[in-house]
Structure formats: structure tokens, C-alpha cells
Amino acid sequence: MNTSTPSRVFSGVQPTGNLHLGNYLGAIRKFVDLQHEYECLYCIVDLHAITVWQDPAALRDQTLEIAAAYLAAGIDADKAIIFHQSAVSAHAELAWIFNCVARMGWLNRMTQFKDKAGKDKERASVGLFVYPNLMAADILAYRATHVPVGEDQKQHLELARDIATKFNNDFEAEDFFPLPEPLIKGAGARVMSLRDGTAKMSKSDPSDLSRIGMMDDADMIAKKIKKAKTDPEPLPDSLDGLNDRPEAKNLVGIYAALSGVTEEAVLAEFGGQGFGAFKPALADLAVEKVAPIAEEMRRLRNDPGYLEGVLGAGAQKADAIAAPILKEVKKVVGFLG
Ligand code: TYM
């Protein structure tokens, strides 16, 4: 980390619907803790969302849903800055400059583009290809130093560091941008599908049973855990025993992340027991942790005016940080003031 730069946290979630337990454990829960230590900006990345088709009415709705999730999870809008990306023009402007800094070869190596574009790359939007450049712009428009994310964003964070390094070198502006540090470690960094322990829990999985939704009620959460794929063996006594048992490993990991204990501690308690005993315990725990957030989300969703007010105020604060940085960037690049 560049120690001469003050610590600032930036992260974002796409308003693409189906917010799930992976988003919460991998990202949003960390956002809540970090707000006490750092200056934090938590963005709802609507510019990223439109890299694949979004129905406009649904996009508006989903943007408010993420705002509700941030608040319901415990982010304090007086402490952290909560806003939507399209309201602060620095993101798009800096992304263009980064489109001219990043190299085609770097983007060609991005695994997420390959996954999302699927077989027919020719039909993917250009935005989807340059998505990581926009992500770098999100972070660096604020000279953010720390970025809490799930494991799936690791490669994008490395690219952001490469872009910052190349910009600083190309323009001989040493330390102009800090090299942002990913904050990934810890339980919950990679929550897997409840239907397939080798695939990550994802918003776009066609099966709703694959994920615990942050708006699911207690019955739904319990049902999904009951139906989660498992194997016939009892839980092992030690971590090694979870090798080659991806579904069991995932459920133990979720239990550990939700309860704030290690996986070893979970196995110390449940080792030797079958899923008939473990699943109800996990369901109770998940309901205890998720249901209150879902309930508060539903309450907040009924007050869109309030949510829009929070986002509008947040956007002003975010713009006040990003605008002077963007002004400096333009000067460094050689644009007339
Ligand atoms: P998105 O919207 O896909 O996901 C939001 C956050 O949730 C994490 N996550 C998971 N963590 C653990 N297990 C899972 N199964 C799981 N699925 C998702 C993601 O890692 C992410 O932290 N590109 C980003 C959004 C973004 C961003 C940024 C993040 C845009 N600009 C700048 C940080 C900084 C994305 O699509 O997240």
C-alpha cells in the first residue's frame, strides 16, 4: 500500500437482482465492519449492470433494492457514502481514459468476460469487454486504497493495480494513483451454489434453489437448505475430510461465516453427525442472520423516496471527492482546463 495516501475504502455491487448470501458474506458484511475504521464509499454500480441488457424499470427497482440491502445490513449513511455510480460522472470519464491505458491483451485474459460472454463473444457488448477498466476507474476516481470483495473479483483488482501502475509510469506521475489492496480473505469469500458445490453462488443461476436470497423469508431459507445437495457421509472431524466433498465443504463454510467461527470449530461441533442434524442447525442460523435483514429490506423498499434521498446525498459527497481528482488526472493527461 502507498502509505502516503490516506486509507479509503471503495466497493460496489451490481443492481442486477437476486442479491444473495454470497454477496452478503463475501462483500456487504465486510462493508459494515470497515465503515468504523475507514472512510468508505459503497457504490451501486448501475453502469456496470448495463453491460448486459437490463429492463429500465427493473434497473431502477434493483438499484433501490441494493440501497435497501446496504442500509438493512447495517451500513450507516452518515458514516459511509452510499450512492449510485451513474450519478457521478467521474466514473465514466476516468473509464474512458483507462480504456486508452489498458491493453487489449490484458482484457483478453479476463476470465469473467469469457464466462459471461459465453460461446458467442461476437454478440457480447463492448462494455462487457472493457468492464474491468470501469471497475478500475470506480476505485481510482477516489484514490481508494482498500477494496473489500469476494474472491471472484480478484483478477479485476489485479488489473486495476496494473492500470494504476501503467498510468503512473506513462505520465511520469509517481504515486499519482495508489495501488488498491483487495480485502478478500476470510470465511465467505467464495460461497458456492447450494445445488453444485463446484459452481459459485450467483445471481444469474437459473435455479432459485441454488442461492439464499437476501429477500428470502424464514420458510424459504429453511426450504432451500433442506433441499441443498449433499452426500451420504457424516461430517468429518477435520478439514482434510472435506476434500473432494464440495457440497459438504460449502455448507460448513457457510455455517462458519454466518456464526463467525472457524471451519475447524464447526467440525469440532458437528463432526460425526449426518446432514439430518447439521442442516436444521444451519437453517436456524441462516434464518437468524438473514431474515432480519430481509425484513428490514422489505420495510425500506416501501419508502423509495427515502432511499432516493440517501443516494442523492451520497452522490453529492462522492462527487466532491472524485471531481478534484479527475481534474488533476485531466491535467496530467494534457487536456486543457
Ligand atoms: P457483483 O455485483 O457480482 O457482486 C458483489 C460482491 O459480491 C461478491 N460475491 C461473492 N462473494 C462470495 N461468494 C459468492 N458466491 C459471491 N458472488 C459475488 C463479489 O465478489 C462482489 O464483491 N464487478 C463487481 C462490482 C464492482 C466493484 C467495483 C467492486 C464494480 N466496480 C469496484 C469493487 C470495486 C461485481 O460485479 O460484483
Side-chain angles (χ1 to χ4, degrees), residues 8-286:
R8 185 177 281 152
V9 168
F10 182 96
S11 196
V13 175
Q14 292 197 65
T16 42
N18 292 336
L19 194 73
H20 55 71
L21 188 66
N23 300 126
Y24 176 65
L25 293 177
I28 297 173
R29 194 178 59 157
K30 292 184 204 152
F31 299 178
V32 179
D33 296 340
L34 288 162
Q35 69 183 334
H36 306 296
E37 276 174 71
Y38 299 102
E39 180 185 15
C40 297
L41 294 113
Y42 298 130
C43 191
I44 304 167
V45 291
D46 48 6
L47 299 177
H48 278 95
I50 63 162
T51 56
V52 297
W53 169 251
Q54 300 296 327
D55 172 75
L59 181 61
R60 275 189 283 275
D61 219 52
Q62 287 156 191
T63 302
L64 294 178
E65 184 177 302
I66 305 294
Y70 281 173
L71 295 170
I75 297 172
D76 177 349
D78 292 326
K79 271 206 175 115
I81 300 175
I82 302 177
F83 69 107
H84 53 306
Q85 191 183 23
S86 59
V88 179
S89 63
H91 293 254
E93 288 190 67
L94 187 57
W96 178 258
I97 293 170
F98 287 171
N99 283 345
C100 304
V101 172
R103 305 290 94 184
M104 290 290 287
W106 299 0
L107 291 168
N108 271 329
R109 285 193 283 278
M110 294 293 115
T111 54
Q112 201 156 91
F113 174 76
K114 288 178 200 158
D115 291 345
K116 288 205 174 167
K119 287 197 185 74
D120 199 357
K121 279 209 218 40
E122 297 289 312
R123 290 176 61 85
S125 75
V126 176
L128 190 65
F129 185 67
V130 293
Y131 178 116
N133 297 344
L134 177 59
M135 203 168 141
D138 297 339
I139 300 163
L140 297 171
Y142 302 92
R143 293 201 165 112
T145 51
H146 294 76
V147 185
V149 281
E151 181 133 341
D152 60 341
Q153 298 300 316
K154 195 170 171 206
Q155 196 185 30
H156 289 159
L157 258 296
E158 280 158 13
L159 189 94
R161 292 167 66 90
D162 288 345
I163 289 176
T165 304
K166 186 167 192 305
F167 183 98
N168 292 350
N169 287 340
D170 286 356
F171 294 102
E172 293 173 13
E174 206 189 333
D175 289 343
F176 185 89
F177 285 123
L179 303 189
E181 296 275 349
L183 297 174
I184 296 179
K185 284 199 187 72
R190 190 167 173 79
V191 177
M192 309 308 277
S193 158
L194 298 181
R195 305 300 299 163
D196 174 359
T198 63
K200 81 171 178 183
M201 187 176 282
S202 126
K203 295 174 188 161
S204 56
D205 193 315
S207 166
D208 197 47
L209 288 176
S210 69
R211 60 185 158 255
I212 293 175
M214 291 309 291
M215 295 273 268
D216 286 351
D217 61 21
D219 289 348
M220 183 63 87
I221 295 170
K223 179 181 150 197
K224 286 177 175 175
I225 291 178
K226 196 169 174 205
K227 285 185 177 285
K229 186 176 167 196
T230 45
D231 54 42
E233 304 298 318
L235 284 171
D237 296 321
S238 71
L239 277 184
D240 286 350
L242 288 174
N243 292 340
D244 304 320
R245 295 181 66 188
E247 283 81 19
K249 189 172 169 47
N250 187 37
L251 295 186
V252 169
I254 291 175
Y255 193 102
L258 282 172
S259 60
V261 302
T262 61
E263 295 181 352
E264 287 91 338
V266 178
L267 293 179
E269 190 178 345
F270 291 99
Q273 299 188 42
F275 287 99
F278 182 63
K279 276 184 171 181
L282 178 59
D284 286 349
L285 178 64

